[in-house]
Amino acid sequence: MLKTHPFNWVATIIIVLIVGVYVVTNYGMIRSEHLEEATVTEKHHGEDGYYVMVDDQKLHVKDTSTWMLLEADETYNLTYEWYGMKKPYITEVNQAHDDDQIGGGH
């Protein structure tokens, strides 16, 4: 009968832990970033969706109404999210230097 060596179990546990951490950090966590006074340099759309270029990043705009409101060479406060291998997409847009943003008082 073939005996298993303890090193095989240790190596297997380490490999399973590494793969588990990789999967959770790349596919289980939503990452978010907020940009203050980000300038939209370019807008374009195609068969795969609507996009804006902000600070040399191509951001997906899921809502076509939001994409239509964004203007090239204008400054906005943007929040975008992504997870895994998905494209970063915009979740929140506010005008820069606007005192009436969400959460602002009158």
Side-chain angles (χ1 to χ4, degrees):
M1 203 162 205
L2 191 63
K3 281 181 105 177
T4 59
H5 196 275
F7 177 75
N8 292 342
W9 286 106
V10 172
T12 302
I13 291 171
I14 290 173
I15 290 171
V16 167
L17 285 174
I18 290 172
V19 169
V21 168
Y22 174 79
V23 168
V24 167
T25 56
N26 284 319
Y27 297 100
M29 295 174 54
I30 296 177
R31 291 178 164 76
S32 179
E33 188 167 328
H34 184 73
L35 299 174
E36 295 281 334
E37 298 184 23
T39 303
V40 174
T41 55
E42 183 181 331
K43 288 175 52 172
H44 62 279
H45 68 284
E47 292 179 11
D48 59 340
Y50 293 84
Y51 296 93
V52 293
M53 292 294 292
V54 178
D55 296 338
D56 297 328
Q57 291 183 334
K58 183 178 179 181
L59 300 177
H60 183 232
V61 183
K62 289 185 175 181
D63 184 21
T64 56
S65 298
T66 302
W67 183 82
M68 292 172 66
L69 291 174
L70 294 172
E71 297 290 331
D73 299 323
E74 291 291 327
T75 304
Y76 301 96
N77 295 335
L78 301 172
T79 302
Y80 64 95
E81 295 178 347
W82 75 97
Y83 63 94
M85 299 304 201
K86 297 289 184 180
K87 301 172 203 165
Y89 58 93
I90 294 177
T91 58
E92 184 179 319
V93 177
N94 284 312
Q95 289 181 324
H97 307 295
D98 185 8
D99 293 334
D100 289 333
Q101 292 180 9
I102 296 173
H106 287 98

